């Protein structure tokens, strides 16, 4: 029987608790440090198998992973589905398709590590559509979206759905308590657009 994805994340110490600044600009008392999962290819494959199973009947041509967080997951999902896997990356802080091509009409899925608001994925969706590709939606390891703040792009599949509260900085109870420093573990330079509360 397949293990639950949360068990694998905890085993890799990829699930952390404290006071964290998310790439969306919001604050949280929990953080998924997905780079820790990427250290173990076998565990990464195990977690992504849950996503691949949900997508096995989806008509897709290309899996697109935004750098850095989505690269490994796009590759592994592409491997398991037998599809091409590419990545977008930032050039002068603008998400671009620097090394690869998306051909007109190709059906694409964005592969992310964690989705909290879905705003970050809009940049990759723009890149796909500028290349005349079709963006079907997002897949991710961890879906942290909340009913009151759904992703602007449909989430087609995730390995794990976590209902972890996150807060606008001015409403963060951990900040108000003043006991834990705010830590930013992500790699993405935040933009004003990504600070929206959807």
């Amino acid at each position: 029987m397949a293990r639950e994805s949360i068990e694998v994340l905890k085993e890799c110490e990829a699930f952390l608790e404290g006071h964290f600044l998310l790439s969306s600009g919001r604050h949280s008392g929990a953080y998924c440090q997905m780079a820790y999962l990427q250290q173990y290819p076998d565990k990464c494959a195990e977690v992504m198998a849950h996503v691949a199973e949900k997508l096995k009947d989806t008509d897709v041509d290309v899996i697109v992973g935004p750098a850095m967080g989505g690269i490994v997951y796009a590759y592994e999902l592409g491997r398991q589905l037998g599809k091409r896997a590419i990545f977008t990356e930032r050039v002068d802080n603008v998400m671009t398709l620097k090394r690869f091509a998306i051909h007109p009409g190709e059906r694409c899925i964005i592969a992310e590590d964690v989705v909290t608001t879905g705003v970050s994925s809009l940049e990759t969706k723009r890149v796909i559509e500028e290349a005349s590709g079709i963006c079907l939606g997002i897949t991710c390891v961890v879906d942290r979206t909340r009913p009151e703040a759904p992703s602007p792009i449909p989430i087609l599949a995730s390995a794990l759905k976590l209902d972890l509260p996150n807060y606008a900085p001015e409403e963060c109870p951990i900040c108000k308590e003043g006991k834990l420093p705010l830590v930013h573990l992500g790699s993405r330079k935040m933009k004003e657009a990504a600070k929206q509360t959807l």
Side-chain angles (χ1 to χ4, degrees), residues 109-123:
I109 290 177
I110 300 170
E112 295 272 15
D113 50 4
V114 180
V115 175
T116 303
T117 64
V119 170
S120 301
S121 300
L122 288 172
E123 294 177 285

Side-chain angles (χ1 to χ4, degrees), residues 114-177:
V114 180
V115 175
T116 303
T117 64
V119 170
S120 301
S121 300
L122 288 172
E123 294 177 285
T124 300
K125 181 177 186 283
R126 172 189 54 77
V127 171
I128 291 168
E129 292 175 344
E130 284 177 356
S132 298
I134 300 163
C135 181
L136 300 177
I138 305 172
T139 64
C140 55
V141 180
V142 180
D143 176 0
R144 287 192 62 167
T145 58
R146 298 174 67 78
E148 66 272 18
S151 170
I153 306 170
I155 296 178
L156 305 176
S158 67
L160 181 63
K161 172 73 176 168
L162 287 179
D163 186 14
L164 299 170
N166 60 79
Y167 313 96
E170 64 276 9
E171 298 169 358
C172 178
I174 309 169
C175 285
K176 290 175 182 172
E177 214 172 73

